[in-house]
Amino acid sequence: MSESVAAEHDYIGLSEFPTMETTPIMSDTTKTKTRDNNNNTNNNDDVLNFKATELRLGLPGSESPERVDQRFLSLKSSCPVSGAKRVFSDAINGSTKWVFSPGSATDVKDIKPAVPVKEKKSSTAAAPASKAQVVGWPPIRSFRKNTMASSQSQKQGGDNNNNSETEGEAKSGPEHCLYVKVSMEGAPYLRKIDLKTYKSYVELSSALEQMFSCFTIGQFGSHGGCGRDGLNESRLTDLLRGSEYVVTYEDKDSDWMLVGDVPWEMFICSCKKLRIMKSSEAIGLAPRVMEKCRSRN
Amino acid sequence: MDLRLPSKVLEHIFSFVDSNEDRNSVSLVCKSWFETERLTRKRVFVRNCYAVTPAAVARRFPEMRSLTLKGKPHFADYNLVPDGWGGYAWPWIEAMAEKSPALEELRLKRMVVTDECLEKIAASFKEFKALVLTSCEGFSTDGLAAIAVACRNLRELELRECIVEDLGGDWLSYFPETLTSLVSLDFSCLDSEVKLSDLELLVSRSPNLKSLKLNRDVSLDALGSLLRLAPQLVELGTGSFSDKLDQEAVSKLSQAFTELKELKSLSGLWDVLPEYIPLLYSVCPGLTSLNLSYATVQMPDLVELLSRCSNLQKLWVMDLIEDKGLEAVASSCKELRELRVFPSGADVDETNVALTEQGLVSVSEACPNLESVLYFCAQFTNEALVTIARNRPNLKCVRLCVMEPFAPDHKTQQPLDEGFKAIVEGCKGLQRLSVSGLLTDKAFEYIGTHGKKLRMLSIAFAGDSDLMLHHLLSGCESLNKLEIRDCPFGDTALLENAAKLETMRSLWMSSCGVSFGACKLLSQKMPKLNVEVIDEHPLKTRPDSSPVEKIYIYRTLAGPRLDMPEFVWTIHKNPEIGVSNLAIE
């Protein structure tokens, strides 16, 4: 219905504007100036609470990476553009000139670079990994950008267990996030946590307890290495007897292991996923853990 | 003598009129044709959800069974439209639940869809068959569960590049055992794992399943077993293609692929490892559509694959294909109609420099049916554009994205004006054009002069002055959608060509030089337009000379919309501005 192009667009009688070219904006607006001043309430600085109410992925309070692609920061005319994209950034800084003096061709010609592309490329050779960019350029859909970002991170991650929520390009090293999914049997939701924010099993345990607080989670936390202090079966059954649920994780080899058996650093390097499961299901894991430890030593 | 045909006869004749454009023309002929047409239209397209009210649509088309809606402007895809702008599906769903409960299909693009919406659909439309959401957001997997459990005759459930709050893979298990009608399932944009056993059960009880697009979490192993359950698939989107499989599993998977005798479309292939490319060889000759845009394999592997795809009509690939790979495509894929080449790197500096304008030239030379092109490239030349236009006058859609803004012809350092002139002059049926690179007003003079069939035009970082806009608005007769960012013009051209705006669906301008006063004036003169000023950082006082960040202008019969956020201004927020204050001659 919206497609029917009504022929009555002339009805206003505006198909010819002999006078429009000569009608300057300013003279009209002097009459409305006083009204503008009363309209400040319409232009509130705080943009309501839309950010607070929108649906986002991830933990409350965290920025959903799919919404905020930090490589594409919006470029305000007041911010200096960092980075070595010299010529382009000059033009963008100069864009404020366009805004305030429309139609003056001379201003714009000054800004236009005559520098060939090759030169630009060499000047950007030393650009830092994250640079201020123009919003929405190049015109690639967010879905694609996010998918490619997580693809790259999975390739470069190597030992890291980078899942789809990592931001930007992942490098191995302590400064980047290690998001893992945490699911719980019987719970209607799954969460994602950043393992880098915890320093020990104790911290992780309390965080999980808080997250899935309606269920009890067994205590874990043997800091001894495999086969050293003797991760033995009796120890495990102690753990398991005490509670209904245990925390397990999927490691690099896609095996499911009990959390708490290896040193923390080793754990975060190999953990891909966490799962809180019923202890009755976890009993079968113990022998595998033992075997793995034996084969490692 | 009464020359009117009885309505029964009219109805029968109109039942052969499929295209809505034709139906719109039909409805303009006379009142009785209008009446008959509206009572027989089953598929309704509303390409701007704010152009008309849901109630009006329901009233006009009582036999509507399928509704397609589009919400946000196209530039929302590139994060140019702030969150909270609008495009809410709820008012439509609520209205249709009441007035058109026989609705069977809902296709939404760039809209905000909540779980509430999905629950309402599930509860209200007893014969609901198809839900296709493209680039939508606002819902979670709980909403999907609601659809799955309630829609007993569901045929299509497709989520294309949506942003979904993923609460787990359980939603899939909500499809009841009695549901056997599934034809198409696309959950490729979801994050979490679905239970393989649920998926297998669903697939095995869906004999009509023709299209299955999995998400990344579905392993290669799982893919094998799914393919064995659904050898009748016509469209397949794989999950991640990078798991390590043992020899036996690989040969089983290979066998499964050879059983796909009907397969025409293949996508997914995330992170595909080069050693798995040969698994796909058996389906290549039958493929008409291949989406390799997430397949991070290098040119030699791509060539091996593509040289076997002699019937390919649609190819989406990354710039990893390089010029050499496109030459191979040119010689092997003679049926090619649509080519899209995406950048593999995130920005200009990471652009693959082995892909140049030459790649597109080769394809344009050798593929006689090529009509649609999307090409991201580091740089281009006028010569290449001239050649392409000469080779392919039948091009209908040309979207060239030179990654570096203001990049001139890299051989001559000239603007790309002459190149685009050749395109619009040579390709007389051109309907969609995106320009880039260094462009002066001249380019737009050419476009205005020659682009008579042009319906959609996208421009960024181009032009010198207001003249540019004037050329476009006064010259392009068929212009329907115009979107512009970061171009230097202001008020004059916009106001001079105000009437043109009512003949278009929409105009988007951001980071241009339009003043607040011009927006007010335009709103005054053109009550059938919604002139939306989008300013996330408005000045405390907004004098008329102050520039606006973004404006979105669209024709509408629905008047001011009631769901505007704080940062969107329309003149309806200033009702005290009377018409008399802004004199119109």
Side-chain angles (χ1 to χ4, degrees), chain A residues 66 140-147, chain B residues 77-78 108-111 132-137 139 158-164 186-190 213 270 291 293-294 316 340 342:
Chain A
E66 291 183 20
I140 304 171
R141 285 193 182 169
S142 332
F143 183 84
R144 162 164 291 276
K145 283 192 298 215
N146 296 332
T147 308
Chain B
D77 283 352
Y78 316 127
L108 307 178
K109 185 166 183 178
R110 278 187 219 106
M111 295 193 77
V132 177
L133 303 177
T134 308
S135 301
C136 293
E137 55 175 353
F139 60 101
E158 295 180 23
L159 309 173
R160 303 177 185 171
E161 297 195 346
C162 294
I163 297 180
V164 184
D186 179 351
F187 60 98
S188 50
C189 61
L190 295 184
K213 295 186 182 165
W270 283 299
N291 183 348
S293 63
Y294 294 107
W316 293 18
R340 295 196 191 188
F342 296 95

Side-chain angles (χ1 to χ4, degrees), chain A residues 5 19 22 60 73 79 93 100 107 111 117 119 130 141 145 170 209 216 233 237 244 271 286 295:
Chain A
V5 180
T19 54
T22 56
L73 302 172
C79 297
N93 274 335
F100 290 106
D107 279 343
I111 302 161
V117 175
E119 239 175 83
S130 66
R141 285 193 182 169
K145 283 192 298 215
E209 260 179 76
T216 47
E233 289 181 11
T237 48
E244 222 183 305
C271 171
S295 62

Side-chain angles (χ1 to χ4, degrees), chain A residues 1-5 8-9 11-12 14-15 17 19-21 25-26 28-32 35-48 50-51 54-57 66-67 69 71-72 76 85 88 91-92 95 98-100 102-105 108-109 112-118 120-121 124 127 131 133-145 147-148 150-152 154-155 164-165 169 181 187-190 192 273, chain B residues 24 41 45-47 52 57 60-61 77-80 83-84 135 137-139 161 163-168 189 191-193 216-217 270-271 293-294 296 318 342-344 346-350 376 379 401-408 413 438 460-461 463-465 485-486 488-491 495-496 499 502-503 512-513 520-521 525-528 536-544 547 555 565-567 573-574 576 581-582 584-585:
Chain A
M1 177 175 87
S2 63
E3 298 311 304
S4 54
V5 180
E8 319 98 72
H9 68 264
Y11 76 97
I12 298 178
L14 291 171
S15 45
F17 300 89
T19 54
M20 278 320 300
E21 285 150 345
I25 305 299
M26 294 310 292
D28 284 330
T29 54
T30 44
K31 297 172 193 157
T32 58
R35 311 217 178 228
D36 281 339
N37 294 334
N38 296 333
N39 294 335
N40 294 340
T41 47
N42 286 340
N43 306 328
N44 284 340
D45 288 345
D46 57 316
V47 185
L48 253 208
F50 279 99
K51 290 245 175 263
E54 43 171 1
L55 269 179
R56 286 171 173 258
L57 298 170
E66 291 183 20
R67 289 293 171 83
D69 192 328
R71 292 163 301 170
F72 293 83
K76 291 191 199 178
K85 290 179 75 66
F88 173 37
I92 286 303
S95 69
W98 293 344
V99 164
F100 290 106
S104 60
V108 174
K109 284 204 169 59
K112 259 332 135 49
V115 178
V117 175
K118 273 189 284 242
K120 286 182 211 165
K121 282 222 178 294
T124 57
K131 13 186 200 274
Q133 298 260 352
V134 180
V135 172
W137 191 265
I140 304 171
R141 285 193 182 169
S142 332
F143 183 84
R144 162 164 291 276
K145 283 192 298 215
T147 308
M148 294 311 296
S150 64
S151 258
Q152 283 172 4
Q154 275 174 15
K155 287 206 163 203
S164 49
E165 294 306 296
E169 292 158 273
K181 297 180 192 175
Y189 50 84
L190 67 81
K192 289 173 182 141
K273 256 188 236 183
Chain B
N24 290 338
R41 194 185 299 206
F45 290 71
V46 179
R47 292 190 166 88
V52 69
V57 173
R60 181 171 168 187
F61 300 111
D77 283 352
Y78 316 127
N79 294 340
L80 287 176
D83 283 334
S135 301
E137 55 175 353
F139 60 101
E161 297 195 346
I163 297 180
V164 184
E165 182 171 7
D166 201 320
L167 303 171
C189 61
D191 253 342
S192 59
E193 251 185 272
R216 250 168 132 158
D217 269 72
W270 283 299
D271 308 320
S293 63
Y294 294 107
T296 47
M318 285 196 280
F342 296 95
S344 52
D347 52 41
V348 195
D349 296 335
E350 296 172 29
F376 281 83
Q379 52 198 21
C401 181
V402 177
M403 304 271 282
E404 179 83 39
F406 311 122
Q413 304 318 317
L438 182 64
F461 307 110
D464 302 316
S465 73
R485 63 164 298 178
D486 293 276
F489 46 72
D491 309 330
L495 292 168
E496 272 180 22
E502 260 188 19
T503 70
C512 298
K520 286 200 286 191
L521 193 55
K525 286 168 19 140
M526 312 294 293
K528 287 236 179 115
E536 284 184 285
H537 313 99
L539 307 173
K540 272 204 167 350
T541 59
R542 226 206 286 233
D544 283 356
R555 66 180 171 197
E566 277 286 301
F567 56 81
K573 289 189 177 176
N574 293 69
E576 67 275 14
N581 283 326
L582 298 167
I584 307 169
E585 290 300 309

